[in-house]
Amino acid sequence: MSRTDEVNMHISSGAPILWRGLVAPVSCAREGRRVRFGLVAVADCLALALLLNGRFLAGGAVLAGVRAVLVAADLAGFGRGAAQPETAPWRLAILAWLMALAAVLAAGLPGQPADWLRRFPSSRELFQSVSGGIDQVIRSLTQSLGPVFDQIRNVLNFLISAIEQGLGLLPWPVYFLFLGLMAWRRGGAGVLAVVWLCLGYLGLFGYWDKAIVTSALVLASLCVCMVIGIPLGILMAKNRVVGAVLEPVLDFMQTLPSFVYLLPAVAFFSIGKPPALMATVIFAMPPLIRLTALGIGQVPTYVREALYAHGATPMQCLVKAELPLALPSIRAGVNQCIMMSLAMVVIAALIGGGGLGYDVLFALQNVQHGQGLLAGIGIVACAMLFDRIMGRSRGPKDR
Amino acid sequence: MSAPAIECRGVYKLFGNPACHDEVIGLLREGRIDRTGAQQRFGCIVAVNDASFAVPRGEIFCIMGLSGSGKSTLIRHINRLIEPTAGEIFIDGRPISGLDAGQLRELRARQIGMVFQNMALLPHRSVIDNAALALELRGDDPQSRRRVAASMLARVGLAGWHDSSPAQLSGGMQQRVGLARALAADPQILLMDEPFSALDPLIRRQLQDEFRQLSTRMGKTTLFITHDLDEAIRIGDRIAIMKDGEICQTGTPAQIVGSPANDYVAEFVRNISRLHLVTAGEIAAPTAEPPTDARRVAPGAPLAEVIDIMAETGAPVAVAAPDGTAGLVTPRDVLRALAGRPQ
């Protein structure tokens, strides 16, 4: 008789139900029901802690409730197929459960050693030495590489102001005409109406110049992202080592809260628009790199083979087959890059990015609800403009 | 005698665990290990195991094998899309392993065309730009490459389709574009990697016939990969049967069907129609005096012709060779031959 049959027998007869209720984690672990074991084991630890704290009613309720649910689930035959009795290392699981119970018990005792169990022993010294060390590194970097950072700062400054001045030179009707035309080509009258509405809002409420500052930052960020991100994405798809190195870096960049990017940007470039651009680029580039790599990686092997079989160089293969076939994916990456740039540019107002984000920040600091909301809607209008003009097409004309 | 257009000598291709390739090849050569043994003992996958063959100029040489037999891997060695682990490939008597990257591109762009099972057309380009790919890659000027591509498209029957996109074409038409692309550079060798396998039977048959005519008329040397013995027999001047990375028999269709080298090949040829493969001379019983009223055929006449005559007369057919020897084919001989039974 296999163990599964044995288990089923136990479940179906009356007396073992009582037994099963008592040592629920053990029987769950033996049957390889991982989720149930986890839930019951954690509930038991919680119940024990409650009992030790003198909250007998709550503790008892947890103990009994979990078992009642478990037995009910067994009787209903719920999830019977999920059991994997042969593969589960159940003894290890039970050992971990017993040790956890022991820890709960020990923490419940009065006195010094229990204190150590109740609160994780943190080290203030370690924290301070590491954070101080990081400060030191940044300080020495800014000193030794100061001229380099100044140079980068100048280049970024030039890029931003060139775009800003270029956008500012055009009178507002030009925007209505050209953006309107593009909107019309993309999706007809509906998109045109949305675009004119957004432009009209920005103009009427006096956000025009600020919207241009914000847009210039977004476009500058897009330029830098494309110049760095697309080649990196190609490299990542082509070279396994680069991919393995870049993958965790990108994960890190994408999970780090966006406010944290402001710190190194300020450290190396002080405040103003160049550090705002830097922080924006770091925040907005990962999806472009990822989607470029994805697009190149999705090009079928046989297409590559066909190119090489007819005498292509690797460069010809890239330009004539891989990039064109990856274009939809790269386009999606560019679109995401724009949207994330816009989100970050607003936050970058904190370090002197200016534009619409500054108005939101100002309203927040001075508790001016009306102003803040209107500026926020201005940012939404900008986002919709970018999305409708440069984002993925929705209209039937593009297909 | 001129060198064969394509020649493979002792080609091996192993995948996985590069450290022990030399050892495994040594053992394979001495016959002390087989494919399964190599995988179990060394973790090496033997894709091609000692393949040797030569294709003279102008011949259509079919390699037939089931999936996993290594035929697609083998064909990719001819233009070095895959490098052999051991062995050498010669094109026109020249070894190709010594070519540098530039020379290899020249070889691929001018001497060897290739057609793929899944067409591998570029979806963002028009039909004519797809057909002109090889010319574009080697740097021909736009006018001349459009002209050549247009004439190739006309040859494969796609004259009016220059500016369509590949997606607008049916599978059979797409593969015609693939063929035009391979022919546009006027290569002397064509590599066909299961070109018609993805097409429906009627179109496949039509393309097989057209391809055979085209290839013969243009004097191309063709290496044709297929998993379908019928197709190999229809198209090939000679056929190699591949199994588990090894070539188990090479011969003309009649040789393969008439005398299979082993049980594996015999199993394949069992259901092949012999009507056009077996000749009267092969099955005739020698006789001194054939009946005077019997109709006569040449020894090279296919079985189909003999059957036609028999259906009409109901009598044995006499086979007369030019050198004077004579034989007689009875209805029993015909039935035996059709069933694939030895005489």
Side-chain angles (χ1 to χ4, degrees):
Chain A
M1 191 193 274
S2 80
R3 205 187 288 166
T4 329
D5 295 334
E6 219 172 288
V7 165
N8 285 341
M9 281 248 316
H10 274 269
I11 289 170
S12 53
S13 59
I17 284 179
L18 195 66
W19 166 245
R20 177 167 174 72
L22 284 175
V23 290
V26 178
S27 61
C28 285
R30 288 192 60 169
E31 289 164 31
R33 297 183 183 276
R34 294 171 197 178
V35 178
R36 281 183 205 185
F37 169 77
L39 289 175
V40 178
V42 170
D44 279 3
C45 288
L46 181 67
L48 186 60
L50 284 170
L51 290 175
L52 286 171
N53 268 318
R55 297 163 78 174
F56 300 109
L57 198 63
V62 170
L63 266 181
V66 163
R67 278 157 180 71
V69 170
L70 195 71
V71 170
D74 277 345
L75 289 176
F78 183 70
R80 193 165 281 173
Q84 306 163 305
E86 300 304 325
T87 56
W90 59 276
R91 285 193 182 84
L92 205 65
I94 288 170
L95 186 67
W97 173 61
L98 290 175
M99 283 170 72
L101 282 182
V104 172
L105 260 176
L109 297 172
Q112 272 299 321
D115 220 31
W116 176 82
L117 277 171
R118 274 194 286 268
R119 182 159 295 148
F120 198 100
S122 66
S123 164
R124 189 85 201 142
E125 296 78 35
L126 182 72
F127 174 79
Q128 270 168 351
S129 67
V130 171
S131 75
I134 294 172
D135 286 347
Q136 201 73 46
V137 169
I138 289 179
R139 209 170 303 137
S140 66
L141 272 179
T142 43
Q143 267 159 19
S144 56
L145 295 176
V148 179
F149 289 127
D150 281 349
Q151 212 55 49
I152 296 175
R153 194 186 154 87
N154 289 340
V155 171
L156 295 182
N157 223 343
F158 175 78
L159 180 68
I160 299 165
S161 56
I163 295 176
E164 207 176 296
Q165 280 169 18
L167 291 177
L169 273 178
L170 300 173
W172 64 265
V174 175
Y175 286 94
F176 272 81
L177 289 173
F178 276 117
L179 295 188
L181 191 68
M182 284 164 85
W184 176 268
R185 306 241 338 146
R186 289 235 122 190
V191 178
L192 177 76
V194 171
V195 164
W196 276 2
L197 204 70
C198 291
L199 286 172
Y201 176 86
L202 291 173
L204 268 178
F205 285 84
Y207 288 125
W208 192 267
D209 293 338
K210 285 178 175 151
I212 280 179
V213 172
T214 297
S215 305
L217 260 179
V218 170
L219 290 176
S221 149
L222 182 65
C223 288
V224 178
C225 284
M226 280 171 74
V227 167
I228 301 175
I230 292 179
L232 265 184
I234 294 168
L235 214 61
M236 191 174 163
K238 297 250 156 197
N239 188 317
R240 202 173 295 178
V241 178
V242 175
V245 172
L246 219 51
E247 190 65 38
V249 174
L250 291 180
D251 282 338
F252 187 77
M253 282 163 82
Q254 282 186 302
T255 37
L256 209 63
S258 41
F259 283 97
V260 179
Y261 291 128
L262 300 178
L263 292 169
V266 170
F268 294 126
F269 301 101
S270 86
I271 56 165
K273 280 172 188 167
L277 178 60
M278 248 1 245
T280 308
V281 165
I282 297 174
F283 182 70
M285 199 160 51
L288 182 59
I289 298 178
R290 279 239 162 87
L291 283 163
T292 304
L294 182 75
I296 301 276
Q298 278 175 342
V299 173
T301 322
Y302 55 79
V303 170
R304 263 187 215 114
E305 270 189 332
L307 265 281
Y308 287 127
H310 290 101
T313 61
M315 197 40 137
Q316 284 177 319
C317 183
L318 181 71
V319 173
K320 291 181 195 292
E322 289 171 321
L323 281 180
L325 290 183
L327 201 61
S329 181
I330 296 178
R331 252 195 216 140
V334 166
N335 189 32
Q336 282 220 22
C337 185
I338 291 173
M339 288 303 132
M340 290 181 72
S341 293
L342 196 63
M344 189 63 194
V345 158
V346 173
I347 292 171
L350 279 172
I351 55 168
L356 290 165
Y358 179 76
D359 278 29
V360 177
L361 196 67
F362 182 84
L364 206 63
Q365 278 162 351
N366 298 296
V367 202
Q368 311 228 342
H369 306 296
Q371 275 186 27
L373 197 64
L374 287 182
I377 294 173
I379 290 167
V380 172
C382 265
M384 280 170 70
L385 281 173
F386 273 115
D387 190 51
R388 294 300 185 275
I389 302 292
M390 301 177 87
R392 69 198 151 79
S393 63
R394 293 175 176 74
K397 289 195 174 179
D398 226 50
R399 268 258 62 96
Chain B
M1 238 190 77
S2 69
I6 308 170
E7 188 180 359
C8 283
R9 276 191 215 152
V11 171
Y12 288 85
K13 179 65 192 180
L14 272 55
F15 290 111
N17 201 357
C20 55
H21 280 182
D22 290 341
E23 193 185 347
V24 174
I25 285 174
L27 290 170
L28 283 169
R29 281 198 177 123
E30 291 164 23
R32 283 162 54 195
I33 197 173
D34 63 355
R35 195 172 140 113
T36 352
Q39 187 162 359
Q40 279 165 1
R41 273 177 58 195
F42 296 96
C44 284
I45 297 179
V46 184
V48 177
N49 188 356
D50 193 18
S52 299
F53 62 86
V55 187
R57 247 166 210 279
E59 187 179 82
I60 301 182
F61 188 79
C62 282
I63 298 179
M64 183 266 160
L66 299 182
S67 53
S69 62
K71 56 193 191 306
S72 285
T73 311
L74 181 58
I75 198 176
R76 280 165 174 70
H77 282 83
I78 310 302
N79 57 359
R80 270 179 65 189
L81 282 177
I82 295 179
E83 304 279 348
T85 313
E88 184 61 90
I89 293 108
F90 301 86
I91 301 291
D92 283 336
R94 270 195 322 153
I96 60 166
S97 62
L99 301 180
D100 64 29
Q103 291 170 319
L104 182 60
R105 279 199 296 276
E106 276 295 287
L107 179 80
R108 288 169 175 172
R110 295 183 190 277
Q111 267 188 287
I112 303 180
M114 188 161 181
V115 179
F116 296 85
Q117 179 178 7
N118 26 31
M119 337 295 179
L121 301 177
L122 296 175
H124 58 285
R125 291 177 164 223
S126 66
V127 162
I128 192 159
D129 285 343
N130 263 295
L133 181 73
L135 306 172
E136 181 186 336
L137 292 174
R138 72 185 189 196
D140 288 11
D141 67 279
Q143 269 125 39
S144 81
R145 70 188 189 223
R146 270 188 90 85
R147 199 178 57 240
V148 174
S151 78
M152 280 306 147
L153 286 175
R155 277 217 155 153
V156 298
L158 284 178
W161 297 86
H162 294 182
D163 298 317
S164 312
S165 99
Q168 292 169 298
L169 269 54
S170 69
M173 289 161 92
Q174 286 184 22
Q175 198 53 289
R176 285 166 193 265
V177 180
L179 188 58
R181 177 173 71 181
L183 290 171
D186 195 23
Q188 161 223 324
I189 293 170
L190 276 180
L191 303 179
M192 310 283 284
D193 181 16
E194 299 204 36
F196 308 139
S197 302
L199 309 176
D200 61 67
L202 214 65
I203 304 286
R204 192 187 311 161
R205 196 108 165 187
Q206 191 185 347
L207 273 174
Q208 284 165 357
D209 293 341
E210 280 180 37
F211 171 73
R212 177 140 191 124
Q213 283 169 16
L214 197 67
S215 175
T216 317
R217 202 167 56 229
M218 296 176 82
K220 305 289 182 199
T221 308
T222 306
L223 192 60
F224 194 105
I225 300 287
T226 177
H227 63 244
D228 176 5
L229 189 58
D230 272 316
E231 182 169 78
I233 287 169
R234 287 173 74 83
I235 285 188
D237 296 321
R238 283 193 307 144
I239 299 171
I241 310 277
M242 228 176 147
K243 188 202 175 206
D244 293 345
E246 278 176 272
I247 294 180
C248 33
Q249 188 177 5
T250 309
T252 62
Q255 284 168 342
I256 299 266
V257 173
S259 46
N262 55 30
D263 291 348
Y264 182 74
V265 181
E267 184 61 29
F268 263 113
V269 302
R270 225 176 44 174
N271 295 320
I272 295 296
S273 163
R274 282 145 176 88
L275 281 178
H276 300 279
L277 289 171
V278 177
T279 59
E282 286 172 44
I283 58 167
T287 168
E289 278 295 308
T292 44
D293 59 337
R295 294 264 292 270
R296 279 157 202 278
V297 295
L303 206 52
E305 195 182 321
V306 178
I307 290 175
D308 283 344
I309 296 172
M310 266 181 194
E312 206 177 302
T313 63
V317 174
V319 181
D323 62 0
T325 56
L328 196 66
V329 179
T330 61
R332 172 185 282 198
D333 296 329
V334 170
L335 290 175
R336 273 207 170 130
L338 276 178
R341 304 260 187 283
Q343 299 297 310

